[in-house]
């Protein structure tokens, strides 16, 4: 990935994190999703008093993109205001893999340190569309 594009994604994620709705965990995260067409969608985590109804930043960005007609993704940047680099939860890893096992996932902490993995590296053996074969 080009450095300029990654910097643009990080800038958007740092701006978006201010919109995170985290009254319970106080653990804001944001994501910037790059489509193959070059469009960037952002997302933040949105909590709910019933924690199971909470939505993560990664899924928010992906769902926004899909709802706008985009399904081919190149990269996803996850940003957290923490010392530790935060990785996607299991549910997000599965959702990311729904759209490809070669999506570059860039995880960045508050010091701009980063770790990059492919979606497959984060969830090897992900349940895929081809696994939906109904033949017995």
């Amino acid at each position: 990935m080009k450095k300029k594009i990654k910097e643009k994604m990080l800038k958007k994620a740092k701006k978006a994190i201010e919109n995170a709705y985290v009254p319970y965990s106080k653990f804001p995260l944001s994501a910037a999703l790059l489509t193959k067409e070059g469009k960037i969608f952002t997302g933040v985590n949105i909590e709910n008093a019933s924690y199971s109804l909470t939505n993560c930043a990664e899924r928010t960005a992906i769902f926004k993109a899909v709802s706008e007609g985009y399904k081919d993704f190149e990269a996803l940047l996850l940003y957290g205001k923490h010392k530790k680099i935060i990785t996607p939860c299991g549910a997000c890893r599965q959702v990311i893999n729904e759209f490809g096992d070669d999506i570059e996932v860039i995880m960045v902490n508050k010091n701009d340190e980063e770790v990059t993995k492919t979606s497959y590296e984060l969830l090897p053996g992900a349940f895929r569309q081809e696994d939906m074969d109904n033949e017995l």
Side-chain angles (χ1 to χ4, degrees):
M1 164 178 298
K2 293 180 181 176
K3 185 177 179 180
K4 193 172 187 176
I5 294 172
K6 187 174 6 176
E7 288 172 354
K8 185 176 181 180
M9 291 174 71
L10 182 57
K11 183 178 180 180
K12 285 182 176 275
K14 284 182 174 182
K15 183 177 179 187
I17 201 167
E18 301 307 320
N19 294 326
Y21 181 72
V22 291
Y24 308 104
S25 73
K26 311 287 191 249
F27 197 82
L29 292 171
S30 63
L33 177 69
L34 177 67
T35 69
K36 298 252 176 152
E37 297 85 358
K39 187 163 175 69
I40 298 173
F41 288 88
T42 59
V44 297
N45 51 333
I46 303 167
E47 295 179 347
N48 189 279
S50 174
Y51 257 35
S52 65
L53 299 178
T54 294
N55 202 52
C56 298
E58 304 94 305
R59 286 182 283 143
T60 300
I62 291 169
F63 296 163
K64 282 171 63 176
V66 171
S67 73
E68 296 294 324
Y70 295 89
K71 295 182 188 92
D72 296 319
F73 307 129
E74 185 174 325
L76 176 79
L77 185 143
L78 180 60
Y79 174 72
K81 291 183 175 183
H82 317 284
K83 284 192 243 181
K84 182 180 175 192
I85 291 175
I86 305 302
T87 64
C89 73
C92 286
R93 292 174 192 216
Q94 179 62 47
V95 170
I96 295 165
N97 266 281
E98 176 72 15
F99 298 96
D101 57 14
D102 62 345
I103 297 169
E104 188 175 355
V105 181
I106 307 150
M107 298 152 284
V108 183
N109 70 2
K110 73 176 187 174
N111 299 318
D112 290 341
E113 298 167 325
E114 65 180 66
V115 172
T116 301
K117 302 276 186 184
T118 66
S119 47
Y120 184 79
E121 288 174 312
L122 287 173
L123 187 63
F127 190 74
R128 303 297 309 265
Q129 186 173 1
E130 54 266 18
D131 297 326
M132 297 292 293
D133 184 1
N134 289 328
E135 290 185 33
L136 299 177

